[in-house]
Amino acid sequence: MDTYNSKDIAAFKNVWVFCEQRQGELMPTDFELLSEGRKLADELGVKLYGLLLGDQVEGLAKTLGGYGADGVIVCESPLLKDYTTDAYAKTVCDVVKELKPEILIYGASNIGRDLAPRCAARLHTGLTADCTHLDIDVEQYKSFLRENSTLDVDGSQWDEGDRNLKMTRPAFGGHLMATIICPKFRPCMATVRPGVMKKAPFDAAKSEAVEIIRPAFSLQEEDLETKVLAVEKSARKLVDLIGADVIVSVGRGIASDIEGGIKIAQDLADELGGVVGGSRVAIDSGWLASDHQVGQTGKTVHPKIYIALGISGAIQHKVGMQDSECIIAVNKNSAAPIFEVADYGITGDLYSVGPMLLEAIREAKAAK
Amino acid sequence: MKIIVCVKQVPDTTGKVAVKPDGTLDRASMQTVTNPDDLNAIEAALAMKDEVGCEVIAVSMGPAPAEGMLRELLAMGVDRAVLVSGREFGGSDTYATSQILACAISKIGLEKEDIVICGRQAIDGDTAQVGPQIAEKLGIPQITYVAGIEKDGDKIVCKRMLEDGFMKIEAQTPCLLTCVKELNQPRYMSIGGIMEAYSKPYEVFDYEALKDSPLMDAESIGLKGSPTNIFKSFTPPQKGAGTMLKGADKNTCKELAQILADKHLI
């Protein structure tokens, strides 16, 4: 391990995904990241490994294999039962130094975003936060840019042999997109925004074939400078915006009757089998809890139907929902920016349009 | 006991954002503000000062005009402000920035009962990386996403938010916390504070001031020393505008419901 040098790029190989578990349960983002990691590993022609830390967690390895991992690096210790920055960062860094992966990606959860920067600083390498798109292959990256940017892709010079990981993320509240590279250090690290990458179907054969690797690592009580006194799950069931097929969101427009506005959204959501979301204003004003927030600082969602009631459409909100399949916006102001991304817009008062729309949807469903 | 708070002056991305034709941000035409989460960090420090009486020092890395922001923080009740500024630092990514800030903090001096507080993340980059990276460079424990703080001597217990609940975490000081906006409601400047803001200690640390720090590595600061580089930056294309339906009455809603039914969305 003394020979570890993050500048010695040729010594690093394979793609790793940090697979987060909480109380022995894998996080849904793990599967999204493995599917994305599979793509990167295939483009590089290397193997994909899950990195799994915890106490008695080896049983989870097969599931990770089913979502794309060739192997799972398992580090088990009672000291890894609950997440602590100290124990996890030491273990991740020690194993990275030993096995030298080329790429290491983490979910951009509150835990991933605590762990990854600590590891990047210790390993002296680059880390890109909250990525929404990853590429190795230059042709793939170019076709991504053709569709998602206003750059003159075909009029620019490209190094077709470039094998750097190209990590794209929104910046400045979504006004700009930036693609970041880490050319001189390894492993190249990124946190990836939950809900953005698509999960591949579970492959039972791959699950059975998964290789288990148990690297030597040392972890003592003295390595921990912080102590977890308690872990409390939220009593309220959190809303699953990322997995929802239908989201009905409210914004500033419900200020005149908050309860009434939320009820209209909830009724529509119930009828359509969906959930209620909110803009930053609705969350910051305390009208809805923070797990309901859609947008740059909240969540990126892509439901089949997204209904925006009284949301003006600040850029950071639009960035979080514009990939929804069908966007319906209701706003009193016909110039509201939300109409720029809406598939169908109604200029009107949400308190009158909402209930009428609910009735019309009921009738249309009954007529089918 | 001291509390060192790291703050950043950022373009106000919640307001009008100007993008130049080449896809970079037109900072000159934008308003700047103190990063919102950093105000919660300042408030947490000032609340502790009110309770136990300690020194609160604000540290910011940025260009000279960030002095205005630091003066405002002095007017809120901060005791001393340090601006870390120099052309050698320009273009630093989070790794390089945290190294420079760690040098500045160790120059100020971190003692047994001291705390470093940062905001959760800045609204320009939204990375949330600089706080934990400073902690690593300083070799002190970190607690991120803090929504509650109790301090008892050289021990600190924090409520750390998770997506699905929270943890109670105990750490020894000195340590670094990053705080979320649920932690508190930042105070305003006071009239008396504004009067005092220009007589309080204000310093600038440039490269000369920090170059002999044991934590300084001249090879890994600024644009050249940053592990990450910007490969491309671009503006996302606007999604094409959809259909504005006529009216806002029953018939409009029926029309829309029929479209959804025809598309098999309902």
Side-chain angles (χ1 to χ4, degrees):
Chain A
M1 256 189 254
D2 294 328
T3 61
Y4 178 79
N5 175 1
S6 60
K7 283 186 169 174
D8 181 12
I9 287 179
F12 291 79
K13 201 180 165 182
N14 297 323
V15 176
W16 287 13
V17 170
F18 175 77
C19 296
E20 185 185 333
Q21 55 83 22
R22 293 185 188 177
Q23 286 85 46
E25 271 188 54
L26 292 168
M27 301 288 284
T29 313
D30 297 338
F31 312 134
E32 300 162 14
L33 262 56
L34 286 168
S35 305
E36 185 67 15
R38 183 72 262 162
K39 183 194 91 176
L40 302 176
D42 289 345
E43 286 180 26
L44 285 166
V46 299
K47 286 189 166 178
L48 174 69
Y49 290 98
L51 175 58
L52 180 63
L53 275 59
D55 186 24
Q56 299 171 29
V57 289
E58 191 185 313
L60 303 171
K62 284 200 170 165
T63 312
L64 300 175
Y67 285 102
D70 297 307
V72 178
I73 299 156
V74 181
C75 301
E76 293 181 315
S77 160
L79 296 176
L80 294 171
K81 183 172 184 291
D82 291 318
Y83 173 79
T84 62
T85 314
D86 313 315
Y88 272 61
K90 179 171 193 300
T91 307
V92 169
C93 290
D94 286 356
V95 177
V96 164
K97 287 175 180 175
E98 182 73 30
L99 299 175
K100 300 190 176 70
E102 179 176 357
I103 291 171
L104 173 52
I105 57 180
Y106 309 72
S109 68
N110 287 14
I111 283 177
R113 297 183 80 172
D114 181 89
L115 174 64
R118 191 93 198 191
C119 294
R122 192 170 304 175
L123 296 165
H124 194 159
T125 190
L127 171 66
T128 306
D130 210 20
C131 298
T132 53
H133 188 86
L134 300 173
D135 281 299
I136 299 280
D137 189 75
V138 174
E139 281 308 314
Q140 301 259 357
Y141 178 64
K142 280 158 73 175
S143 68
F144 162 72
L145 285 184
R146 279 188 203 105
E147 207 168 300
N148 296 284
S149 81
T150 49
L151 292 178
D152 178 14
V153 175
D154 298 297
S156 316
Q157 289 281 331
W158 295 89
D159 169 11
E160 296 290 338
D162 170 13
R163 306 308 276 167
N164 272 308
L165 179 62
K166 289 163 271 295
M167 301 167 276
T168 303
R169 65 183 306 268
F172 297 104
H175 292 274
L176 269 184
M177 300 294 288
T179 302
I180 312 287
I181 51 171
C182 175
K184 289 184 237 145
F185 298 91
R186 294 288 178 272
C188 172
M189 307 213 303
T191 61
V192 175
R193 182 180 295 188
V196 175
M197 305 300 177
K198 297 277 182 298
K199 178 173 87 171
F202 185 82
D203 179 339
K206 214 159 158 38
S207 163
E208 288 306 316
V210 73
E211 175 195 1
I212 305 282
I213 297 169
R214 291 179 155 279
F217 70 99
S218 101
L219 194 60
Q220 263 98 53
E221 197 90 45
E222 304 85 79
D223 295 323
L224 274 69
E225 292 189 276
T226 51
K227 198 155 78 184
V228 177
L229 304 180
V231 183
E232 306 250 350
K233 286 262 180 189
S234 172
R236 192 172 54 85
K237 198 176 169 319
L238 293 177
V239 59
D240 179 17
L241 286 180
I242 286 170
D245 276 342
V246 176
I247 298 174
V248 185
S249 283
V250 293
R252 197 188 299 277
I254 66 161
S256 60
D257 174 8
I258 297 153
E259 266 181 43
I262 291 174
K263 183 170 188 308
I264 288 168
Q266 189 67 58
D267 288 349
L268 272 167
D270 289 347
E271 178 63 32
L272 295 167
V275 297
V276 173
S279 68
R280 178 142 89 186
V281 174
I283 277 67
D284 285 355
S285 310
W287 303 340
L288 290 166
S290 62
D291 52 306
H292 290 267
Q293 185 173 353
V294 174
Q296 169 83 355
T297 46
K299 290 173 187 144
T300 299
V301 298
H302 29 72
K304 290 197 177 75
I305 304 176
Y306 189 94
I307 304 181
L309 300 175
I311 293 178
S312 64
I315 181 104
Q316 67 101 16
H317 187 80
K318 289 196 287 184
V319 168
M321 48 65 86
Q322 63 187 2
D323 290 334
S324 304
E325 199 175 318
C326 178
I327 298 171
I328 296 163
V330 180
N331 201 296
K332 271 197 218 170
N333 175 7
S334 62
I338 192 79
F339 290 126
E340 292 164 13
V341 295
D343 296 283
Y344 301 100
I346 296 177
T347 308
D349 179 8
L350 72 96
Y351 294 103
S352 69
V353 174
M356 285 192 291
L357 183 59
L358 176 64
E359 193 52 42
I361 287 171
R362 278 190 183 137
E363 283 169 14
K365 279 167 81 175
K368 279 188 112 175
Chain B
M1 176 193 166
K2 292 192 292 301
I3 304 176
I4 298 174
V5 185
C6 298
V7 288
K8 186 178 188 185
Q9 191 176 45
V10 292
D12 183 7
T13 57
T14 58
K16 196 167 155 43
V17 170
V19 179
K20 289 192 253 184
D22 65 356
T24 61
L25 206 71
D26 184 4
R27 283 173 186 265
S29 73
M30 288 174 65
Q31 298 278 354
T32 57
V33 293
T34 306
N35 181 53
D37 288 351
D38 300 352
L39 288 173
N40 298 102
I42 290 281
E43 178 59 36
L46 293 177
M48 242 182 278
K49 177 185 165 182
D50 292 344
E51 203 182 310
V52 298
C54 57
E55 189 188 13
V56 177
I57 306 168
V59 178
S60 184
M61 182 169 125
E67 177 178 351
M69 167 193 71
L70 288 168
R71 295 285 180 197
E72 285 180 14
L73 301 177
L74 291 169
M76 282 170 71
V78 168
D79 300 298
R80 176 182 163 198
V82 175
L83 178 65
V84 183
S85 194
R87 61 181 168 76
E88 295 86 348
F89 306 148
S92 290
D93 72 353
T94 66
Y95 182 95
T97 301
S98 64
Q99 195 201 326
I100 297 160
L101 284 170
C103 291
I105 291 166
S106 67
K107 184 179 166 73
I108 293 165
L110 206 56
E111 289 161 304
K112 187 83 189 95
E113 286 200 19
D114 295 351
I115 307 172
V116 181
I117 312 184
C118 303
R120 174 190 58 145
Q121 65 193 47
I123 57 169
D124 53 354
D126 284 310
T127 74
Q129 288 174 188
V130 171
Q133 293 188 313
I134 292 172
E136 172 65 21
K137 293 288 172 194
L138 291 170
I140 59 173
Q142 74 192 41
I143 307 178
T144 54
Y145 297 90
V146 168
I149 306 172
E150 291 162 48
K151 191 171 189 291
D152 181 15
D154 64 353
K155 278 207 167 69
I156 194 161
V157 176
C158 292
K159 180 179 180 185
R160 179 201 195 277
M161 298 312 292
L162 292 171
E163 290 85 348
D164 55 355
F166 65 89
M167 284 176 161
K168 282 235 162 193
I169 300 181
E170 183 187 280
Q172 295 275 335
T173 58
C175 64
L176 180 142
L177 316 177
T178 78
C179 64
V180 296
K181 62 175 184 288
E182 289 82 1
L183 178 61
N184 55 41
Q185 185 68 44
R187 68 190 63 187
Y188 294 103
M189 295 179 273
S190 69
I191 301 290
I194 295 168
M195 307 285 282
E196 287 171 7
Y198 277 83
S199 57
K200 285 183 175 173
Y202 175 83
E203 291 160 87
V204 177
F205 288 178
D206 58 8
Y207 178 68
E208 276 301 304
L210 298 178
K211 73 176 193 320
D212 297 325
S213 164
L215 296 174
M216 178 57 84
D217 170 7
E219 297 294 303
S220 53
I221 56 165
L223 187 63
K224 269 182 82 175
S226 292
T228 59
N229 310 136
I230 296 175
F231 183 60
K232 296 270 175 214
S233 83
F234 54 93
T235 44
Q238 278 283 353
K239 182 178 163 176
T243 313
M244 288 302 288
L245 301 174
K246 284 206 175 68
D249 55 16
K250 265 191 181 161
N251 287 331
T252 317
C253 292
K254 274 191 177 161
E255 184 192 342
L256 178 54
Q258 194 54 51
I259 293 169
L260 296 178
D262 292 346
K263 287 180 176 276
H264 305 288
L265 285 165
I266 58 172

